[in-house]
Amino acid sequence: RALAPAAGPLAGRRILVTAGPTHEAIDPVRYIANRSSGRQGFAIAEALADLGAAVTLIAGPVTLPTPAGVRRVDVVSAQDMADAVTRALPADAAVMVAAVADWRVEAAPQKVKKGDAPPAIVLTENVDILATLAHGDERPRMVVGFAAETQNVVEHAVAKRLRKGADWIVANDVSGDVFGGDANTVHLATADGVEHWERLPKDEVARRLAARIADALQGS
Ligand code: CTP
Ligand code: CA
């Protein structure tokens, strides 16, 4: 399959996708993470490749198989992910599905031992990969972000779209069982307003989003 010429509405398009959590080291054996399974992002990478795109999937630590026809770059921390995104440019579109850690830890060089007082974990804000890409010189023509929210989902999505400079934000309510689950209820915030999609399997969300990206890139 890798040798067959790509066909489909996204043939000839380069698209990068970020997916999964990031891990931020506390010391050589411990880290801070989040509940992202990577499934929605992997499904989107697969759906884009199925439409003919040359997809680079920049994946945080997850235990998922690489979708057929997708080039995968594994990373651990948010900083690794930011570097991998820069290396994957230029791209026609970017879909930033990863649950990037908002903070990194001032990691200890050696394993912290429990004999002493509990160590303080000092957090420093990580670079915003999506905002940096959307405001940068090599901005892909389409930049799509995700937003994981537990309340005021739509309001936060609309605000994030503007703040981050994304074309679209796909917002999902993570107050339920979305992490690791099969289905997702999403709201798509664009310059034209907010669409409320019905609850769908994650691979159907992926197929619809990929088709919309193909439409948006058409004729450019
Ligand atoms: N994102 C990113 N780099 C970060 C943080 C987030 O690229 N350091 C991206 C995510 O991949 C997602 C979007 O930004 O596409 C929104 O992430 P989210 O965590 O919902 O938003 P934040 O701006 O981090 O705000 P908060 O966590 O406070 O809701
Ligand atoms: Ca965040």
Side-chain angles (χ1 to χ4, degrees):
R1 164 162 178 175
L3 295 176
L10 289 172
R13 306 292 192 187
R14 289 170 54 103
I15 303 187
L16 77 88
V17 178
T18 67
T22 64
H23 286 183
E24 307 299 322
I26 296 170
D27 70 14
V29 299
R30 304 181 178 97
Y31 59 83
I32 291 178
N34 62 63
R35 294 187 188 282
S36 171
S37 68
R39 289 173 64 173
Q40 184 66 78
F42 274 56
I44 289 167
E46 179 165 30
L48 291 165
D50 284 347
L51 296 184
V55 177
T56 299
L57 171 60
I58 300 166
V62 294
T63 52
L64 291 172
T66 306
V70 166
R71 186 173 81 93
R72 175 175 180 170
V73 178
D74 285 312
V75 298
V76 176
S77 68
Q79 189 56 57
D80 295 343
M81 186 172 276
D83 293 344
V85 165
T86 302
R87 279 194 296 271
L89 297 174
D92 297 290
V95 190
M96 316 298 272
V97 197
V100 183
D102 290 319
W103 306 283
R104 66 179 171 278
V105 182
E106 273 176 30
Q110 303 297 335
K111 182 182 171 187
V112 179
K113 303 296 288 179
K114 71 180 173 192
D116 302 326
I121 291 179
V122 179
L123 299 174
T124 305
E125 192 166 330
N126 277 324
V127 62
D128 190 314
I129 303 169
L130 169 58
T132 302
L133 181 70
H135 293 120
D137 293 339
E138 281 196 284
R139 188 192 196 281
R141 213 166 63 72
M142 281 287 305
V143 176
V144 181
F146 268 65
E149 308 289 353
T150 58
Q151 56 183 353
N152 305 327
V153 179
V154 169
E155 293 81 351
H156 283 309
V158 169
K160 267 179 196 174
R161 194 184 80 82
L162 296 173
R163 187 170 74 239
K164 290 175 178 264
D167 296 291
W168 299 347
I169 290 281
V170 182
N172 53 351
D173 186 332
V174 294
S175 59
D177 64 348
V178 61
F179 285 115
D182 281 324
N184 209 352
T185 307
V186 307
H187 313 271
L188 179 65
T190 74
D192 299 327
V194 181
E195 294 173 23
H196 306 279
W197 292 11
E198 67 267 36
R199 184 171 173 81
L200 293 166
K202 286 181 177 176
D203 50 6
E204 184 58 26
V205 170
R207 279 193 287 272
R208 289 193 190 193
L209 190 65
R212 289 289 292 270
I213 290 170
D215 285 347
L217 287 177
Q218 203 153 42
S220 69

